[in-house]
Amino acid sequence: MKTNALIARRYLFSKKHVSLISTLTGISITGVTIGTALLIVVLSVFSGFFEVIKGFLLQNDPDIRIESTASDTFVFTGDMQQTLADKPEIKDLASYVKGKSLMVHPQVNDQVVQVKGINQDEYFKINKLSNNIVKGSIDLGVKNRIPGMLLNEKLMREMNLEVGDKIALLSADGMRKSLTQFSLPRNYRFEIRGTYSRLQITDGPAVFIEQEAGQRLFETKNAISGIDIRLQKTEEAEGVKTSLQNKLGSTYKISTWYDLQQPLYDIMYLEKWSSYLILMIIVIVAVLNIIGSLTMIVIQKNRDIGVLQTMGFTPSDIKQIFIRQGLYIGLIGCFIGGGIGLLLSWLQKQYGLIKLSSAFIIDAYPVSIEYLDVSIVLIGSLLLCVLASWYPARRASRVEPADAIRYD
């Protein structure tokens, strides 16, 4: 085995003269190096963007959400509370009611908005909304017999509203009942106590009110729409989901942070691995050079192969010599390319060398080095190099020793 490795290195890295074969070998190593480095950098940037988007979404989304599969609302029973309390992975939780409502103000056009009724003491433990207050304060309680509300700053500008204005909300169910029962729709008045501003990549609630006020508005009595849960570690979401689903049964729908925005996350993964396949073309071009250079070595060393076989080398030994040459090219290219790719990714992560325009939510290309991605790139490139050596190795193993020595 040591002899096979020695011969493979001597054939591949001959020091006597620079030939076309050594030039092709150099091109192959360079191609694998560039391809590997590019793949690591590009996948790290895609992973960085994924982490940025995930971070923004998790400002609004919980790690786990519990909803009913049978109806829009359910009762938060004592048994369910105990089940959640027994989970050490759960850090905080908050129940809520939600629905669409018609916002009415005498001086502006009516507008349909998404309303979420929350217990503010619970909700702001799992959500960073309290850090994004622009005007006013977070005060959803009743003052002068009027409950408070928190509005999105964009909605405030569109409707030309100010903190302190009084707003009426009419729920869809209330409007439907007024039509069927031929009565005036029941509306609920709220006072705008504060405004918030945060980046929303996807649509979310524009109006926050107290949970009890929300239950009256949507006529859910003591029922809730769902439970948002923040875990000790976000990475444990899938395991906790499975455990809760087994205990709560099919009556409830358990969604992780990934499930809540699955179409967006799936598209980002699709873009990432599509780029991987496209950039692998660079490595494939280098692999074609490996086939060419090793085939030329087989032709050039035809007599040497015959001599080796007369000395006792089996066809399997001959094949191993040329497969090792492909392996060496892959190892050198992957080692250098992997090092360059990791270095460039680290520099971008630490110093933000390549900037983005001011229109973006971040100032430089984000980078997240995922060692699973790096392993996939290195193993994929190395495997292609070894596969490329299979045809030349197979051809070398079929050389007839008598013919090689007689005619060469």
Side-chain angles (χ1 to χ4, degrees), residues 55-61 123-124 126-138 150-154 156-157 163 193-201 205-206 208 230:
F56 280 117
L57 290 175
L58 283 178
Q59 290 182 9
N60 308 326
D61 294 339
Y123 187 74
F124 294 125
I126 66 170
N127 194 290
K128 297 180 180 179
L129 184 64
S130 57
N131 299 330
N132 300 313
I133 301 301
V134 178
K135 291 182 181 179
S137 62
I138 303 174
L150 193 63
L151 254 66
N152 184 288
E153 187 184 34
K154 181 181 177 183
M156 291 276 286
R157 288 198 305 268
V163 174
R193 302 276 174 76
T195 66
Y196 67 92
S197 175
R198 68 181 176 190
L199 177 69
Q200 291 193 191
I201 299 173
F208 289 92
R230 184 68 67 199

